[in-house]
Amino acid sequence: MRFLSKLALGILAITLLWYIVEPVYTYRFRLTIEADTPSGPRSGSSVIEVRSYDTNVGFIEMRGRHARVIGEAAFADLGQGKNVIALLAGGEHAQGVDLFRELVRLVFEDELKPHGYSLAAMANLRGKKRIAPHLIPTLATFSNLKDPKTARIVAPDAFDGAFGAGYTFRQATLEMVPAGWWPLNTIGITGTPITRGIEKKLLWWDQPGRPAVAAWKALVADNVVGSIGPETLFKE
């Protein structure tokens, strides 16, 4: 027991030292998508976390800024069996898999530029802003939430064609929310909770095999978008 206690203390000490030498900055934001429908406005949101750190040690390819995204796609129920999902990627074919690592910096560029886009400044950001059209995450829909093969991408300006008359995309917003204190936020004690439960809305999620692969293939069709983990479009 003494050995295990000393080992645990040693690991904790090393971890704390690492955070002092190369601190990890955590920030969270609420991504919200809004649409108008024949039955009124509808919206969906998801709280997403980004953990970032800068390093100047190790091999050259290991240096620079690193970030990990934790969260899931924002799901909006449009009524009448229709839905729209803001995937964890950007671009016409969801090829921009690094979008969420850079989204806060891009949306809050004016606020962060005077601070050199530092991670500390990002972690201290507060406020809410509309996401510019070219930065809106890739939007997708499933005509049947039980069938991943019914996925298709829908452009923000094509809602009426995808869903019918009376459906229009209104906006996407990004709101900075409290991330809480490390390490308590890693176990959900502090901070605005990270959204979880997308698999309960995507009813195909727990099907045998990897149904997300079928969804991804339906989304990109014959477009080549490089290597990607299909599951990470919906959940990280």
Side-chain angles (χ1 to χ4, degrees), residues 18-157:
W18 179 265
Y19 270 76
I20 292 172
V21 175
E22 293 189 345
V24 175
Y25 293 91
T26 299
Y27 55 89
R28 292 180 185 175
F29 58 86
R30 178 179 287 106
L31 169 69
T32 302
I33 51 176
E34 304 174 20
D36 290 318
T37 77
S39 59
R42 296 292 185 104
S43 65
S45 64
S46 181
V47 173
I48 297 166
E49 176 179 288
V50 179
R51 299 177 188 172
S52 298
Y53 69 94
D54 292 321
T55 181
N56 294 309
V57 300
F59 297 108
I60 294 178
E61 58 270 18
M62 296 173 60
R63 301 177 186 178
R65 179 160 295 181
H66 301 268
R68 178 190 176 193
V69 176
I70 303 169
E72 63 183 32
F75 180 97
D77 183 348
L78 301 181
Q80 303 297 317
K82 305 178 192 297
N83 58 81
V84 64
I85 305 166
L87 302 175
L88 297 179
E92 186 179 0
H93 305 296
Q95 72 273 23
V97 294
D98 291 327
L99 173 65
F100 280 75
R101 292 171 173 80
E102 298 290 335
L103 190 57
V104 167
R105 179 182 65 80
L106 296 170
V107 172
F108 287 89
E109 183 174 11
D110 292 340
E111 290 81 0
L112 292 170
K113 188 175 181 179
H115 304 283
Y117 307 103
S118 72
L119 293 178
M122 289 187 195
N124 289 319
L125 269 176
R126 290 295 179 267
K128 179 178 179 179
K129 294 189 71 172
R130 186 171 184 169
I131 300 175
H134 70 285
L135 294 176
I136 293 174
T138 306
L139 302 178
T141 185
F142 289 85
S143 58
N144 183 351
L145 288 171
K146 295 181 180 180
D147 185 356
K149 295 179 182 178
T150 64
R152 69 183 187 278
I153 289 174
V154 54
D157 60 356

